[in-house]
Amino acid sequence: MVKNKNNKAIWGSRIRKDASSLFQKVGNSIDIDKKLFKEDILGSIAHIEMLFRQKIISFKIKNKIIYGLNKIEKEILKNKFEYNNKYEDIHMNIEKRLFQIIGEDAGHVHTARSRNDQVITDFKIWTTSATKKINKNLDNIIKTILTISEKNIETIMPGFTHLKNAQAISFAHYLMAYVEMFVRDKKRFSYNLESLSECPLGVAALTGTSFNIDRNFTSKKLGFKRPTNNSIDTVADRDFVLDFLYSVSVCSMHISRIAEELIIWNSDGFNLITLSDKVVTGSSIMPQKKNPDLLEYLRGKTGTTYGNLFSMLTILKGLPISYFKDLQDDKEILFKSNEILNNCIAILNEVLKNLRPNKQQMLNLTNYGYITATDLADYLVKNHSIPFRKAYQTTAMIVNFAEKKKKKLNELSIEELKKIEPKLTTEVLRIFNVKNSVNSKKSYGGTAFDNIKRMIIKYKKYK
């Protein structure tokens, strides 16, 4: 092993005294950003290959540095790499180890590069991979929902507004609403890939460099579409972090909404679904309890993702452009939100797989709240040319009459109905069948069974 003569921090030749122990404690980020070791080594190798192509370093130096970097990667993967808090972050830890392996030639690795462009390049590569992984995980949950929906097209339940029975729907149609949400989440994450597609490497600290570098080469080598345009903006930019955190927050909100509904439906008051013992917990004092703790976890974690987004917005709010130490927290915030979302997607997927709809209870609940009233008003408009507002008033009178008689709409006789609206015939009685009600909504996007089948087929093909 070649001994490194300078074992101080890189800036030790300018800063003559060691940092205080307190500053070292708050200033280092190695425990967080060591996640970026692969990206850092990948970026450094691309940079070195470019320097050689541009005749800035020799073939021999290029090979020595790449050899050293590959050796470091193997050490990290085998848990043989020793991280040192003294060197602040993964970037300096890797560079110091490179000095130990190949000696002073390691100093060429930072030619025409700053930690500012190095860090954001690594971070963008990592975030790109994380974004693609989230989309794959969303595919899994979409697939699960489609499988459940396919089995429940004709499972009838109340649709709610204000948590009051509103109109009859298919359980599958309800679930497919969340497919729409998760598909939008996928699109939102995919849009972010465009802002991640510009390569920061080569802008150095904030001004670019006087070396004859080839930023197009490093961009292509690292999988970016193009280099960034403005060097100052490049090191200051954390919009891609905000985009990611916002997308996580919206997706978390969708997960929280379905979790909230499933918690309500699992309650004894509704009893619309049953959760398997695999996804519930017990009580320390009440032996009978089966609590939907996992769903409550999903609902609670959404607050954390919102907080992370707001934290990053606040960090950036009053920050002049270029690089400042304030930005150190960007990675921890993003890493945490990424971990939370992936966990939540996996948990929701598991809960859905262990959920059983109580079909008879769903159907029974449609008997309350006069949920076919709108169908009756529509029937009067279509079959008797009555203006909708007049049909609405007539239907309201029929509902009031049924309520007074303590009857459901389908329990009213034709004679009772004709007392309020003489035009009605026995044909109207089929309107009060909730299955007919659901299947009658044939407009695009409505609850008709054929519509649901078409959407399931559509999204099964969706990539």
Side-chain angles (χ1 to χ4, degrees):
M1 181 185 295
V2 180
K3 187 176 180 181
N4 176 26
K5 297 177 182 178
N6 180 11
N7 200 36
K8 294 183 178 180
I10 294 298
W11 43 85
S13 55
R14 170 61 175 155
I15 308 297
R16 298 182 182 278
K17 293 184 178 181
D18 289 339
S20 70
S21 58
L22 178 61
F23 181 77
Q24 286 188 23
K25 181 178 179 180
V26 300
N28 83 75
S29 58
I30 185 62
D31 290 337
I32 296 161
D33 60 30
K34 63 184 178 184
K35 284 179 181 283
L36 299 175
F37 78 91
K38 285 186 179 180
E39 291 76 15
D40 193 73
I41 290 170
L42 182 70
S44 292
I45 289 174
H47 182 66
I48 287 300
E49 288 179 343
M50 180 276 296
L51 292 179
F52 166 68
R53 281 170 57 93
Q54 296 301 104
K55 299 183 171 134
I56 298 171
I57 62 172
S58 69
F59 180 75
K60 180 181 177 181
I61 290 173
K62 179 200 80 161
N63 282 353
K64 283 181 71 175
I65 291 174
I66 291 176
Y67 162 78
L69 291 171
N70 285 330
K71 181 177 174 65
I72 291 168
E73 182 173 19
K74 289 176 183 176
E75 289 177 352
I76 295 174
L77 290 171
K78 293 179 180 179
N79 295 318
K80 293 182 177 180
F81 186 88
E82 293 185 14
Y83 298 102
N84 190 331
N85 288 342
K86 183 177 181 180
Y87 304 133
E88 286 198 357
D89 57 29
I90 187 62
H91 320 288
M92 290 296 98
N93 268 263
I94 287 175
E95 185 170 330
K96 277 298 182 181
R97 177 63 181 136
L98 188 62
F99 270 101
Q100 292 173 351
I101 295 170
I102 69 170
E104 293 303 315
D105 282 339
H108 290 285
V109 76
H110 222 53
T111 303
R113 187 179 75 172
S114 163
R115 266 200 309 178
N116 291 353
D117 60 332
Q118 179 186 6
V119 168
I120 197 170
T121 300
D122 298 350
F123 197 17
K124 275 193 168 185
I125 296 171
W126 192 95
T127 305
T128 298
S129 297
T131 299
K132 292 176 179 178
K133 181 180 177 182
I134 287 172
N135 274 349
K136 285 183 179 179
N137 290 337
L138 286 171
D139 277 337
N140 292 335
I141 205 164
I142 290 169
K143 182 180 177 181
T144 297
I145 294 174
L146 292 174
T147 299
I148 301 171
S149 298
E150 204 165 22
K151 298 175 182 176
N152 288 280
I153 293 172
E154 296 191 27
T155 299
I156 308 302
M157 64 174 288
F160 304 100
T161 60
H162 309 278
L163 267 186
K164 298 281 286 182
N165 287 14
Q167 290 181 275
I169 62 169
S170 156
F171 181 49
H173 193 66
Y174 160 80
L175 291 174
M176 291 297 291
Y178 282 96
V179 170
E180 296 292 334
M181 294 183 204
F182 292 131
V183 167
R184 288 199 298 272
D185 289 327
K186 281 196 63 179
K187 289 179 180 176
R188 197 171 290 108
F189 279 108
S190 296
Y191 293 152
N192 296 347
L193 293 175
E194 180 58 30
S195 65
L196 288 163
S197 68
E198 295 187 346
C199 182
L201 195 59
V203 303
L206 78 160
T207 62
T209 178
S210 60
F211 287 96
N212 180 32
I213 63 172
D214 185 351
R215 293 190 65 207
N216 286 306
F217 172 82
T218 47
S219 296
K220 184 177 179 181
K221 189 79 176 174
L222 293 172
F224 292 94
K225 289 183 179 179
R226 64 189 78 87
T228 53
N229 294 314
N230 183 286
S231 59
I232 302 176
D233 172 66
T234 299
V235 297
D237 172 36
R238 291 301 184 274
D239 288 2
F240 71 93
V241 178
L242 294 176
D243 291 341
F244 184 91
L245 294 174
Y246 172 72
S247 299
V248 168
S249 297
V250 175
C251 187
S252 297
M253 176 266 292
H254 291 153
I255 291 173
S256 182
R257 291 183 76 175
I258 191 171
E260 167 72 0
E261 292 194 283
L262 295 179
I263 290 167
I264 292 170
W265 293 2
N266 182 242
S267 68
D268 295 331
F270 278 78
N271 192 31
L272 295 179
I273 61 168
T274 299
L275 298 175
S276 160
D277 286 358
K278 293 180 180 179
V279 293
V280 296
T281 60
S283 164
S284 64
I285 188 172
M286 295 172 282
Q288 82 281 11
K289 292 296 294 296
K290 291 185 177 182
N291 300 323
D293 280 12
L294 284 176
L295 290 169
E296 292 165 7
Y297 172 91
L298 298 178
R299 191 174 56 184
K301 281 300 178 183
T302 302
T304 305
T305 65
Y306 287 4
N308 288 343
L309 171 61
F310 193 72
S311 292
M312 197 66 219
L313 284 167
T314 306
I315 288 170
L316 293 169
K317 175 188 71 68
L319 205 61
I321 59 172
S322 185
Y323 182 79
F324 294 88
K325 191 68 171 177
D326 312 49
L327 295 172
Q328 175 175 297
D329 286 341
D330 58 357
K331 286 168 284 299
E332 182 177 15
I333 290 170
L334 188 144
F335 291 162
K336 283 183 177 179
S337 283
N338 177 69
E339 182 181 9
I340 288 170
L341 182 59
N342 282 310
N343 286 340
C344 287
I345 293 172
I347 289 169
L348 179 58
N349 201 25
E350 188 69 13
V351 170
L352 290 172
K353 288 179 178 180
N354 286 277
L355 173 154
R356 176 174 57 82
N358 297 333
K359 297 183 180 183
Q360 190 58 51
Q361 173 63 7
M362 286 181 169
L363 185 61
N364 291 344
L365 195 56
T366 63
N367 287 319
Y368 298 91
Y370 306 102
I371 68 175
T372 54
T374 304
D375 297 276
L376 176 57
D378 289 346
Y379 172 84
L380 291 170
V381 172
K382 288 186 289 185
N383 292 273
H384 299 287
S385 300
I386 298 174
F388 181 79
R389 283 303 171 206
K390 174 67 175 173
Y392 179 101
Q393 293 168 358
T394 299
T395 302
M397 291 171 62
I398 291 172
V399 170
N400 289 338
F401 176 80
E403 191 174 50
K404 183 178 179 181
K405 293 291 184 178
K406 296 182 179 179
K407 290 184 175 182
K408 302 176 178 65
L409 290 179
N410 61 353
E411 293 174 339
L412 295 174
S413 67
I414 188 62
E415 289 75 23
E416 288 173 314
L417 291 167
K418 286 174 74 69
K419 286 180 182 178
I420 299 172
E421 178 48 71
K423 293 181 180 180
L424 292 175
T425 65
T426 54
E427 183 189 18
V428 75
L429 298 179
R430 67 179 178 81
I431 294 298
F432 301 131
N433 181 290
V434 288
K435 188 172 182 179
N436 290 340
S437 171
V438 172
N439 203 30
S440 70
K441 311 302 191 298
K442 298 185 183 297
S443 59
Y444 188 83
T447 60
F449 301 146
D450 284 344
N451 285 355
I452 300 170
K453 290 174 185 175
R454 279 194 293 271
M455 295 311 294
I456 290 172
I457 292 170
K458 172 185 174 180
Y459 284 121
K460 273 192 169 182
K461 296 177 180 177
Y462 176 79
K463 298 294 181 184

